[in-house]
Amino acid sequence: MASLSKAGAALAALREDLAGEVFAPGDAGYDAARAVFNGMIDKRPAVIAQCADAADVVRAVRFGRDLDLPIAVRGGGHGLAGTALGDGALVVDLRRMHRVTVDPASEAVRIEGGATMSRLDRATQPYGLATTGGRISSTGVGGFVLGGGTGWLDRAFGLAVDNLIAVELVTADAEQVHANADENPELFWALHGGGGNFGVATALTLELHELPEFAVALLLYLPEAGPDAVRTFREVLGAAPDELGGAVLYLTGPSAEFVPEHLAGRLVCAALLTYAGGEEDLRKLAEPLLALPHESQLVGTVPYVDLQCMLDVAPGLRNHWSAECLTGLPDELVDVYCTRAADMPVPTPTRHIVFPQGGAIAAGPHQYPVPYRDAPWTAHPFAVWADPADDERAVAWVRDVRAGVRPWSTGDVYLNLIGEEGAERVRAGLGAGNLLRLEKVKRAYDPDNVFRFNHNIRPV
């Protein structure tokens, strides 16, 4: 760590040189700048550099290296463990870098590192184009993609990382590099699931796909009808074309126009079908679910960008989640899953989710470090609540869901859906067979493990 006089002079120089804004403890705006999505996170960085462009990122990383500061990278700030921040660290905050540039002729889009999913989807929508995005519109695109990326369109278009064309990166040496299939190909391979271990992604280029129509079916069932709804959902997806996706979930009935008053604030089971196509075809696919006794239904075409906002959660609430990739969804597992819904904290924004994979995910490129590709289903207990008095109950519920479904676990995990669960879970998320190769790339680009606020890969 540098002396106080050197640190003070360097901070003054950074404030002068950065086109963006710099915050340190005691500055007005510091506390707002360090707030992240998970309200349980309370970390105090030494410096927050809100960068305006890639040149600012270079300046910030050079500042951090000169003062021997660990460096955290903030895009959307959605990571459960709060890895966008670090106590005593430099935070390279990319939120001012959110430009999205669509090239409809080549069906590609360039996204700056601080853009959220909402900005990406709203930019591509006018062209009838889309790419696989997350299930919450305020998620940062960079962390989502580099961590693998599953969403409503993944069965049709593959994982987000399958659509990655190029990455612009600032390394731990404050050098700007490009990575694609031809330029720095080993780094490009590692960025397909290795997350933020190798530098600051200042921009990503993704492949787009034609999406002229998009339709949704949302059905609400009483909790006791949940097992039948889940089994029927399983059968529908098992015979469905790749264009059909969605999730089955338990949640607190929202106060919304299509939700009957007697369900608002109560536990309900929901089946959500998403379809890269028109309403008529979706209705045919949804017939078995529509035939079950249900309390409410919403079926029709919607702009994809609107669906992306449908399950948004407000920032600043308390969060704890995890996930297990599943070998299948047999009746016994369905019963376990539905039973666990009874212990959910209700009424809260908590969701008890199972979503399908398969389709273009399973058919995608297997050479990348995304070992969960072949799992047909994923269970995702997603606890969100406001009252700290509910902390123990909510965390225990997530733990119990994981324990309940573990007999059917593939052993793999999608790392974007978990927090700090230990080195073995990181290995499970990257693939044991990929780890040594990833460690060598880490050594080449970040031998001092400067970028360690993540699902960390150690240099060897």
Side-chain angles (χ1 to χ4, degrees):
M1 182 66 69
S3 67
L4 289 178
S5 59
K6 179 182 177 182
L11 179 59
L14 183 67
R15 292 185 193 274
E16 180 70 23
D17 293 343
L18 216 68
E21 198 164 358
V22 177
F23 295 94
D27 290 346
Y30 170 79
D31 284 335
R34 71 185 182 91
V36 291
F37 180 75
N38 186 357
M40 298 180 78
I41 304 301
D42 184 20
K43 296 181 180 179
R44 300 189 64 82
V47 179
I48 301 171
Q50 291 189 341
C51 299
D53 51 29
D56 267 3
V57 175
V58 170
R59 295 182 188 104
V61 171
R62 190 172 292 134
F63 164 85
R65 296 308 309 273
D66 287 347
L67 296 186
D68 195 26
L69 292 172
I71 300 176
V73 182
R74 174 170 185 159
H78 263 255
L80 174 64
T83 52
L85 308 176
D87 287 323
L90 164 69
V91 175
V92 178
D93 187 336
L94 303 177
R95 283 177 291 173
R96 292 173 180 238
M97 299 170 57
H98 51 64
R99 185 178 293 108
V100 178
T101 306
V102 180
D103 183 351
S106 62
E107 296 191 343
V109 58
R110 180 181 180 272
I111 310 109
E112 289 188 335
T116 60
M117 207 60 60
S118 177
R119 288 185 180 273
L120 168 60
D121 295 333
R122 293 190 185 282
T124 61
Q125 183 89 16
Y127 301 98
L129 298 170
T131 193
T132 299
R135 296 174 174 89
I136 294 179
S137 70
S138 55
T139 301
V141 175
F144 169 77
V145 173
L146 299 182
T150 79
W152 303 124
L153 294 174
D154 53 14
R155 282 174 44 84
F157 300 153
L159 297 171
V161 78
D162 296 343
N163 295 283
L164 186 61
I165 296 172
V167 182
E168 299 163 38
L169 199 76
V170 174
T171 69
D173 291 333
E175 298 292 331
Q176 292 181 266
V177 301
H178 291 76
N180 56 39
D182 300 313
E183 189 176 4
N184 297 306
E186 191 68 2
L187 173 61
F188 189 57
W189 171 84
L191 291 168
H192 284 70
N197 271 283
F198 311 103
V200 184
T202 56
L204 302 90
T205 302
L206 298 175
E207 180 183 359
L208 295 173
H209 304 266
E210 293 183 6
L211 190 67
E213 279 192 291
F214 189 76
V216 169
L218 177 63
L219 294 92
L220 301 183
Y221 303 88
L222 294 174
E224 52 267 31
D228 284 342
V230 175
R231 291 186 179 96
T232 303
F233 183 88
R234 175 192 65 195
E235 301 308 315
V236 168
L237 266 294
D242 294 352
E243 290 78 12
L244 189 72
V248 63
L249 64 158
Y250 285 86
L251 72 164
T252 299
S255 297
E257 185 177 340
F258 71 96
V259 178
E261 187 175 344
H262 69 279
L263 295 184
R266 291 183 51 199
L267 181 68
V268 297
C269 180
L272 173 64
L273 293 176
T274 61
Y275 185 60
E279 178 182 346
E280 184 178 351
D281 288 340
L282 175 59
R283 282 189 178 274
K284 293 175 183 175
L285 293 166
E287 280 178 0
L289 286 163
L290 290 165
L292 292 178
H294 54 279
E295 304 299 300
S296 178
Q297 69 180 59
L298 182 66
V299 184
T301 56
V302 299
Y304 168 66
V305 67
D306 291 348
L307 169 72
Q308 286 288 72
C309 304
M310 186 182 293
L311 293 178
D312 277 1
V313 175
L317 296 172
R318 304 174 80 78
N319 283 252
H320 187 74
W321 347 302
S322 192
E324 290 288 343
C325 294
L326 305 173
T327 57
L329 203 59
D331 287 346
E332 186 180 357
L333 173 52
V334 170
D335 291 339
V336 169
Y337 164 74
C338 293
T339 299
R340 292 296 181 193
D343 299 323
M344 282 175 56
V346 173
T348 69
T350 295
R351 287 88 182 258
H352 184 28
I353 307 168
V354 170
F355 61 82
Q357 296 197 166
I361 306 170
H366 278 66
Q367 68 267 32
Y368 296 124
V370 282
Y372 48 86
R373 181 183 297 281
D374 292 324
W377 296 89
T378 295
H380 178 34
F382 182 91
V384 186
W385 67 101
D387 189 347
D390 286 333
D391 286 3
E392 184 176 347
R393 173 189 173 198
V395 172
W397 173 74
V398 172
R399 181 191 63 230
D400 291 346
V401 171
R402 272 196 66 201
V405 304
R406 196 169 295 131
W408 297 274
S409 174
T410 66
D412 305 315
V413 65
Y414 171 41
L415 291 175
N416 281 353
L417 297 184
I418 73 170
E420 294 179 355
E421 295 186 5
E424 284 307 307
R425 286 280 271 176
V426 174
R427 180 186 294 267
L430 297 170
N434 299 314
L435 198 55
L436 180 59
R437 185 177 174 186
L438 287 164
E439 288 169 344
K440 289 179 178 178
V441 179
K442 177 75 170 180
R443 180 178 62 190
Y445 288 93
D446 185 13
D448 299 320
N449 204 15
V450 172
F451 300 111
R452 57 182 177 268
F453 297 101
N454 44 44
H455 292 296
N456 195 232
I457 299 167
R458 295 188 176 277
V460 297

